[in-house]
Amino acid sequence: MQQRTPITPDPRTAPAPGTERGTDRSRRRFLAAAGTLGGSLAAAPLGTARAAGPPAPRRAAGRTVAVLGGGVSGLTAAHELAERGYRVTVYERNPTLGGKARSMDVPGTGGAGRRPLPGEHGFRFFPGFYRNLPDTLRRIPVPGSATGAHGNLVDATEVLFARDGGRPDLRLPFRTLLAAPSLELLLPDALLQTLTGLLDTSLHLPATEIAYFANRMLVHLTSCEERRLGQWEHIPWWEFVRADRMSYDYQRLLAIGLTRNLVATRAEVASTRTVARILQAFLYNVLGFGTDGEPDRVLNAPTSEAWIDPWTAQLSDLGVRFELGCEVQELTYSDGLVSGVRLADLDSGRIRTVTADHYLSAMPVEHARLTWGPALRAADPGLARCDRLQTDWMVGVQFYLRTRTPIVHGHVDYVDTPWALTSISQAQFWPGRDFRADYGDGTVAECLSVIVSQWDTPGVLYGRPALKCTREEVVREVWAQLKGSLNDTGRAVLRDDDVHSWFIDPAVTGLGGPAPANREQLLVQTVGSHDNRPPAATAVPNLFLAGDYTATDIDLATMEGANESARLAVNALLDADGSNRPRCTVWTLYRPPELELLQQQDAVRYRLGLPNALDFG
């Protein structure tokens, strides 16, 4: 789990292809022309509705609900149900709550009154276009914070695209551009000009490629929902943006990099609908529309300290019970209803069955679908579609360093790394924590949290994919790839003798052996996957589904998706129960009314078999 032996340096080489550019004057002239539609398009502004706020907490005794899974979706469901008077028990396999979002103590690392070093499955961030999860955060009391756990969010203001082989890194501001955004920015001409300008200023790609990518984004922005589901859902992002025809930098930055960072899947298989929806959400966030805050926010302490622990304390106060260390084996079914849940206590091995009036399954899809037996699947044949949903590895390595190493005030994307690395230096965002005084043995000053997104690509050190490496080899390989991007200009950003220790989530097992496994995988939005995502309500009247694999508006495996799915599941349960308690507020992604007319026109074209009016191939 943890290694204290210093990492020895290893040589690293990487290709550094260049791109040709024209003169600045001709480039500006070209982009100015590309960024205008000639005023031929218009959109009529329409109003938007706002939902009511959350209900006041209620402690009245009510019917019982078994929530299966103690991750973000399970805790959200428990929160909403307890506030509406239901008696809730959460059953969780892990010894701690929070799922993939939790932080974990690194065993044997605390001392002299200091906490153990904080480990995690991987870093997390809270974009400003999240609306459901921030609402929950505001409702979690935290001493000294008028806005609850939401007050523990802090802004990350930059992003760094780190390149290999001495190529210039791209360090960019990442924040909302306008304090008072103008609705005119959402008209097609203005959107295209804004997109073109942002890309040109930030990425320095060939002007023709910038113009093409901006046009592709506008095609999706003006597409009707029928086209998005019927056409773009079934086309890979790589194909939609014509990455195979473009430069190496275009492929790495706009095709591969965006899907890796924002959608956590591969451009070659990722649904265009999913990728483009998240990109447009970030675009509107940067322009100041439909936001809860800045585009990139992180917590001001380890996740469990800043969020999960206060949350579980609040839920306990609301009467929620937690049973940890118990694994759901099967939801038993009889007489048209779920009749119970068979559990295995991991410590004793004892098998038992628990019952409730309602059952809300909030486990990850790869675990949930194993608990649906033949009788239950026969009762709801739609459950079988979940077997087609795919998951993949996305897990991190935390490097504990002896020196504060704030590489950038935000996230780093190591664009050229074969293992698709991203990272964040966390100590800079924890102002209330003195790392040396609060954690470990008193010598650790930094936690550099790195995520490995591609576990099946050969590395630079051993020539093997991460799945074929031991834990120690994975760590050395990740460190070598980090240095290949950060130390390639001669400046020693990372030093081998600065590494104190490291941590990989114990959910990852068997590395270096014949059967590597990861119990905490991530759903990936492959082409067509939307069709296989189930609704919150099943055909079984007392069974409901939550989790980032279910059908949500955000349509992405994220904490926001998990939170939204739980709200939908609770609303479905309230409907089935005939409850008169208020329904959960559910926020959807921002939809500019200025584009609705174009989307309505596109719906007509789609039904006639015609392409989007701006789709020039």
Side-chain angles (χ1 to χ4, degrees):
M1 184 182 305
Q2 186 185 13
Q3 177 71 29
R4 292 183 175 272
T5 305
I7 301 176
T8 55
D10 294 284
R12 169 76 201 269
T13 58
T19 58
E20 296 182 358
R21 298 176 176 87
T23 66
D24 288 343
R25 180 177 300 174
S26 62
R27 177 185 184 85
R28 287 195 299 268
R29 191 160 48 238
F30 176 85
L31 291 172
T36 207
L37 293 177
S40 59
L41 299 174
L46 300 174
T48 57
R50 297 294 181 191
R58 306 186 184 201
R59 298 293 303 275
R63 288 160 65 78
T64 58
V65 182
V67 174
L68 311 179
V72 172
S73 59
L75 295 181
T76 302
H79 190 164
E80 300 291 349
L81 287 164
E83 285 189 337
R84 289 160 175 79
Y86 285 84
R87 290 182 288 136
V88 180
T89 302
V90 176
Y91 300 92
E92 168 59 39
R93 182 186 190 279
N94 289 320
T96 55
L97 295 160
K100 289 189 288 292
R102 74 194 187 282
S103 46
M104 297 163 270
D105 292 341
V106 180
T109 59
R114 290 179 293 270
R115 301 181 184 92
L117 293 170
E120 59 193 357
H121 184 81
F123 65 74
R124 57 205 57 84
F125 72 110
F126 301 75
F129 63 80
Y130 283 10
R131 304 300 300 280
N132 295 288
L133 184 58
D135 171 70
T136 297
L137 292 174
R138 286 188 175 90
R139 292 155 52 200
I140 300 171
V142 171
S145 172
T147 57
H150 190 279
N152 289 335
L153 293 178
V154 293
D155 298 336
T157 60
E158 298 176 297
V159 62
L160 178 69
F161 293 94
R163 310 304 303 269
D164 287 2
R167 306 174 72 197
D169 296 340
L170 299 174
R171 181 170 182 160
L172 308 173
F174 193 34
R175 58 176 69 97
T176 301
L177 296 177
L178 301 172
S182 168
L183 293 176
E184 292 181 357
L185 284 174
L186 298 178
L187 295 174
D189 281 358
L191 268 177
L192 191 57
Q193 291 177 8
T194 299
L195 274 168
T196 304
L198 286 174
L199 292 170
D200 185 44
T201 302
S202 302
L203 303 183
H204 309 299
L205 293 170
T208 53
E209 295 187 348
I210 287 175
Y212 185 79
F213 185 84
N215 170 261
R216 299 310 287 166
M217 282 298 300
L218 197 60
V219 166
H220 191 272
L221 290 170
T222 57
S223 289
C224 63
E225 192 61 23
E226 295 95 325
R227 188 184 299 280
R228 294 182 183 188
L229 285 168
Q231 183 176 1
W232 305 139
E233 170 66 20
H234 301 278
I235 292 180
W237 178 249
W238 180 273
E239 180 181 334
F240 180 75
V241 298
R242 305 293 192 268
D244 58 329
R245 307 178 190 176
M246 304 298 183
S247 67
Y248 174 83
D249 283 352
Y250 179 100
Q251 294 173 353
R252 302 302 297 184
L253 293 170
L254 294 178
I256 297 173
L258 290 178
T259 55
R260 177 172 72 206
N261 287 347
L262 306 182
V263 193
T265 189
R266 301 185 185 189
E268 296 85 351
V269 300
S271 155
T272 288
R273 175 181 180 269
T274 299
V275 176
R277 278 171 62 79
I278 299 305
L279 285 180
Q280 74 184 43
F282 270 110
L283 174 63
Y284 299 148
N285 196 166
V286 168
L287 295 178
F289 294 97
T291 71
D292 179 76
E294 289 297 311
D296 189 357
R297 299 173 297 181
V298 296
L299 289 166
N300 62 3
T303 310
S304 290
E305 292 182 38
W307 171 25
I308 303 300
D309 292 345
W311 200 9
T312 55
Q314 178 197 19
L315 296 182
S316 295
D317 289 343
L318 288 171
V320 176
R321 295 178 57 248
F322 301 102
E323 294 200 20
L324 307 180
C326 51
E327 184 175 63
V328 177
Q329 292 193 329
E330 186 178 1
L331 279 69
T332 57
Y333 175 83
S334 64
D335 298 327
L337 296 171
V338 172
S339 56
V341 180
R342 191 165 66 246
L343 300 171
D345 292 319
L346 297 183
D347 287 340
S348 67
R350 182 171 66 94
I351 306 298
R352 60 191 173 105
T353 298
V354 298
T355 60
D357 295 314
H358 300 287
Y359 301 85
L360 196 154
S361 177
M363 296 180 291
V365 65
E366 67 271 24
H367 303 308
R369 59 194 176 197
L370 297 177
T371 69
W372 304 332
L376 185 60
R377 284 171 173 258
D380 187 348
L383 294 175
R385 291 198 299 273
C386 293
D387 295 338
R388 304 171 195 163
L389 295 173
Q390 299 179 35
T391 60
D392 202 354
W393 288 44
M394 178 170 277
V395 66
V397 180
Q398 284 79 61
F399 292 96
Y400 303 102
L401 308 180
R402 296 183 175 89
T403 305
R404 283 285 294 270
T405 313
I407 300 167
V408 67
H409 195 255
H411 293 87
V412 184
D413 180 347
Y414 301 87
V415 176
D416 303 309
T417 53
W419 285 6
L421 305 181
T422 49
S423 79
I424 190 167
S425 301
Q426 295 187 314
Q428 64 185 317
F429 296 105
W430 298 351
R433 302 291 187 276
D434 182 333
F435 216 106
R436 286 193 178 92
D438 292 346
Y439 301 104
D441 61 7
T443 67
V444 176
E446 180 68 85
C447 176
L448 177 62
S449 185
V450 186
I451 288 181
V452 179
S453 297
Q454 289 188 198
W455 285 74
D456 56 359
T457 302
V460 300
L461 205 57
Y462 300 102
R464 299 196 302 273
L467 288 170
K468 299 295 184 181
C469 293
T470 65
R471 291 176 91 83
E472 292 76 13
E473 289 171 342
V474 167
V475 171
R476 294 192 188 101
E477 179 75 61
V478 169
W479 187 252
Q481 292 186 31
L482 293 175
K483 290 197 304 178
S485 293
L486 295 176
N487 293 6
D488 57 330
T489 59
R491 186 168 69 95
V493 178
L494 299 179
R495 303 192 315 273
D496 297 326
D497 60 4
D498 201 32
V499 178
H500 172 278
S501 51
W502 52 265
F503 175 81
I504 297 178
D505 189 341
V508 176
T509 57
L511 286 175
N518 177 6
R519 274 197 55 84
E520 305 281 359
Q521 296 192 39
L522 185 72
L523 179 77
V524 291
Q525 272 73 20
T526 55
V527 291
S529 60
H530 179 272
D531 300 338
N532 299 318
R533 301 179 71 168
T538 71
V540 180
N542 66 341
L543 174 62
F544 308 89
L545 304 179
D548 57 18
Y549 69 96
T550 63
T552 59
D553 181 72
I554 195 171
D555 190 41
L556 186 66
T558 57
M559 297 181 295
E560 173 77 353
N563 188 281
E564 180 188 344
S565 74
R567 292 165 180 257
L568 294 169
V570 169
N571 286 348
L573 188 154
L574 294 172
D575 290 344
D577 206 28
S579 173
N580 61 359
R581 298 295 171 90
R583 275 27 180 189
C584 305
T585 301
V586 178
W587 280 269
T588 57
L589 292 177
Y590 180 72
R591 290 167 171 79
E594 290 73 16
L595 296 180
E596 284 195 13
L597 180 57
L598 288 175
Q599 292 166 353
Q600 292 169 9
Q601 293 170 352
D602 185 61
V604 175
R605 293 181 64 87
Y606 180 69
R607 292 166 195 152
L608 293 174
L610 299 173
N612 180 280
L614 303 179
D615 190 356
F616 308 123

